[in-house]
């Protein structure tokens, strides 16, 4: 298997280990209803969960799209972990009744809304830094994140006054359908290496058990050919791949929900808390590198995957050269 | 799409263009029957087509495994092209009735046989250089080549007196089954990037139309999720990917057979001769680089894919770093 040879680190690894723990800022969770704001500001196009640092400051923004039939509030632990490292996370709730093409358009509308609506739902003196925006998602939401970054959400009818540009893209166990021959629209996978016409750096985090059946009965949630592996294959460098070898597709959800999900979704035997910390840490390290200019954490994890609290194997960095 | 930026070449490109034309040595085709040799030498474990330069010399050897229900003799133009550049090509005929696991074992036996049988079927004063051996295959034969290189053909019962080591591996539109969930044994695809535990350099040549239906009816011969793209994804560097964008799965066969095959296999509109020349040229350039130490031809094609007589897009080099 693709084990990365662990190289000596150039600096204190404990600095990197801290991305796998809660950060130093308390995070506040705000539920925003659809269109619930007054006329003076732009109403939200979707219900949202906004997770934000509570101390005054200007913070980068991470959009996070949930998986099929899941809710943003079921990812609270993970999103708080990320936010506590000084990020504002905006997680819209999409209806499971709409097509994925419509979900991508909704996601684009939420992105537009960041410019003129987000400020009004944040704690006092907390501001979004709209020049530092990343987009991410889990499962079907991972594909929505890729689709949006690839331009499938273009809103022809209205041009945003301040077009926002993503600086980073993360797919957490992304899924594009039930098999290569039955991809849901938009069909973003081409089955050609590096076919994504993306310019933004990408991290793909896969779950090693997500292509397996639960109890030999339930079909895998991230089947071979439409999962993390093919998403990574179609990314242009710079891109990164991390496989949480011993965990399943829904093991990043909050504990109670993860326990219920594990009845139908193959789940890892290890602590789900460690899985969430590992994924949260990778997200933070990647955002620090691509939005904050601090590359050491990401480089350290690539060089020494054992810094993570779970087995990451393989870890693959692919650079532009 | 993943177009490679064409960089200026450091030397005369006409030297590289010549790999896409017949080489300077006439090639002789010999049919070898199974077990047809006298007792003094080792009988061939399978019927074989041996294509060899006719002028005296010591030449590297390329094993070539045909596709499902196809015959080595249907690839004559391609194999002669390669051989005319001073290679001995050994192409066994496998029965379409045996399982692929058995085919891999047969392939291993043919590899063993090279040491003590090949010499006896070559033209006078023509010798195989058994320190320079590459393995290749088309379609199901491409998977057989990968399986053999990955050690699936290990013959536990008999240890060869001179264990041969492959220096290069080539998959020409390799196919691993009909879908990710119905891979034939040995199941070599893991759906994890770089999961192949191969140390040998690899070239994967895909056909851009091989994942399409012919006349909207016949299923694709190299379906998404089990074709060239996933084979490349699972290779460790150093590896190379070339997509013959406008050609189909059986367009490398000799003209008459390719015409018949095109009734059920999606075929390109362009000249099949150009497709064979392109594939032959890539094979020769790769063998020159990995067996002969002459890297310019391969590097030139990577830098300037337009040197090839057909559209190669994308061309992806992946090096060790």
């Amino acid at each position: 298997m693709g084990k990365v040879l662990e190289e000596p680190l150039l600096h204190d690894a404990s600095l990197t280990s801290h991305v796998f723990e809660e950060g130093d800022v308390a995070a506040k969770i705000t539920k925003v209803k659809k269109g619930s704001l007054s006329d003076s500001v732009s109403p939200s196009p979707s219900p949202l969960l906004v997770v934000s640092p509570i101390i005054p400051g200007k913070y980068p923004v991470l959009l996070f799209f949930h998986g099929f039939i899941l809710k943003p509030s079921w990812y609270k632990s993970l999103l708080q972990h990320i936010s506590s490292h000084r990020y504002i996370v905006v997680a819209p709730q999409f209806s499971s009744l709409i097509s994925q093409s419509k979900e991508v358009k909704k996601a684009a509308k939420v992105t537009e809304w960041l410019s003129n609506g987000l400020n009004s739902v944040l704690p006092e003196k907390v501001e979004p830094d709209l020049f530092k925006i990343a987009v991410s998602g889990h499962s079907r939401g991972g594909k929505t994140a890729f689709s949006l970054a690839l331009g499938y959400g273009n809103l022809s009818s209205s041009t945003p006054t301040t077009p926002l540009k993503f600086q980073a893209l993360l797919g957490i166990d992304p899924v594009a359908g039930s098999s290569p021959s039955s991809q849901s629209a938009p069909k973003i996978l081409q089955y050609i290496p590096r076919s994504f016409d993306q310019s933004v750096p990408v991290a793909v985090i896969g779950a090693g058990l997500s292509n397996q059946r639960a109890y030999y009965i339930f079909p895998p949630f991230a089947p071979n050919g439409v999962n993390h592996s093919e998403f990574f294959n179609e990314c242009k460098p710079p891109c990164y791949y991390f496989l949480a070898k011993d965990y399943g597709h829904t093991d990043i959800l909050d504990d109670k929900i993860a326990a219920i999900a594990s009845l139908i979704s193959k789940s890892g035997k290890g602590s789900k808390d460690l899985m969430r910390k590992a994924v949260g840490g990778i997200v933070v390290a990647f955002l620090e590198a691509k939005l904050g200019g601090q590359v050491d954490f990401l480089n350290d994890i690539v060089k020494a995957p054992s810094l993570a609290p779970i087995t990451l194997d393989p870890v693959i960095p692919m650079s532009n050269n």
Side-chain angles (χ1 to χ4, degrees), chain A:
Chain A
M1 292 296 302
K3 254 205 165 126
V4 171
L5 283 177
E6 303 212 353
E7 292 173 19
L9 306 177
L10 293 172
H11 62 106
D12 184 359
S14 66
L15 291 174
T16 294
S17 299
H18 98 278
V19 298
F20 296 111
E21 301 298 333
E22 290 273 318
D24 57 356
V25 178
K28 182 191 173 188
I29 296 178
T30 308
K31 284 191 178 180
V32 179
K33 288 186 186 160
K34 181 180 171 179
S36 66
L37 302 175
S38 73
D39 283 340
S40 63
V41 288
S42 172
S44 164
S46 289
L48 303 166
L49 205 69
V50 175
V51 192
S52 159
I54 55 168
I55 64 170
K58 197 167 186 176
Y59 302 101
V61 177
L62 175 68
L63 280 165
F64 176 85
F65 306 135
H66 64 80
F68 186 58
I69 66 163
L70 301 176
K71 289 171 187 286
S73 59
W74 294 350
Y75 298 87
K76 268 181 196 160
S77 310
L78 175 66
L79 302 185
Q80 275 182 309
H81 179 127
I82 297 166
S83 181
S84 72
H85 286 272
R86 299 172 183 255
Y87 290 91
I88 297 167
V89 184
V90 176
Q93 169 75 58
F94 300 122
S95 161
S96 48
L97 300 175
I98 61 171
S99 71
Q100 188 156 27
S101 293
K102 281 196 179 148
E103 183 170 305
V104 177
K105 297 246 181 250
K106 279 266 184 197
K109 284 193 175 159
V110 172
T111 311
E112 274 190 6
W113 169 87
L114 297 178
S115 308
N116 36 27
L118 177 57
N119 229 328
S120 63
V121 300
L122 294 173
E124 207 176 343
K125 293 184 181 169
V126 168
E127 269 186 85
D129 183 346
L130 295 177
F131 290 102
K132 293 182 178 172
I133 301 188
V135 60
S136 68
H138 170 238
S139 189
R140 165 168 151 144
K143 184 185 154 190
T144 295
F146 271 86
S147 305
L148 191 64
L150 291 170
Y152 285 89
N154 278 344
L155 303 168
S156 52
S157 56
S158 64
T159 312
T161 35
T162 45
L164 298 176
K165 206 172 163 289
F166 299 123
Q167 268 81 47
L169 165 63
L170 293 113
I172 303 173
D173 222 28
V175 184
S178 56
S179 76
S181 55
S182 55
Q183 268 192 77
S184 52
K187 297 189 180 188
I188 64 172
L189 297 180
Q190 302 289 318
Y191 298 92
I192 298 174
R194 305 194 186 179
S195 68
F196 289 155
D197 201 14
Q198 109 278 348
S199 52
V200 64
V202 185
V204 175
I205 304 171
L209 306 181
S210 67
N211 61 354
Q212 296 185 20
R213 288 174 180 272
Y215 307 106
Y216 308 101
I217 302 170
F218 299 98
F221 277 64
N224 290 335
V226 287
N227 68 18
H228 48 85
S229 177
E230 185 59 22
F231 274 86
F232 178 66
N233 192 28
E234 302 206 15
C235 290
K236 282 195 175 48
C239 50
Y240 297 79
Y241 179 82
F242 306 85
L243 188 66
K245 195 179 179 184
D246 305 316
Y247 283 88
H249 186 65
T250 52
D251 290 345
I252 60 162
L253 298 171
D254 292 344
D255 266 335
K256 282 183 187 169
I257 296 292
I260 297 168
S262 72
L263 298 174
I264 56 165
S265 165
K266 181 79 177 177
S267 172
K269 286 178 184 151
S271 145
K272 308 293 179 283
D273 186 47
L274 294 184
M275 171 64 167
R276 290 189 300 261
K277 285 183 158 144
V279 171
I282 294 169
V283 172
V284 170
F286 186 67
L287 295 179
E288 292 287 309
K290 304 304 173 185
L291 303 187
Q294 160 57 285
V295 297
D296 287 345
F297 307 143
L298 181 62
N299 288 346
D300 281 358
I301 298 170
V302 166
K303 280 184 194 155
S306 66
L307 287 172
I310 64 169
T311 302
L312 299 178
D313 179 20
V315 171
I316 303 173
M318 193 127 66
S319 57
N320 260 322
N321 57 12

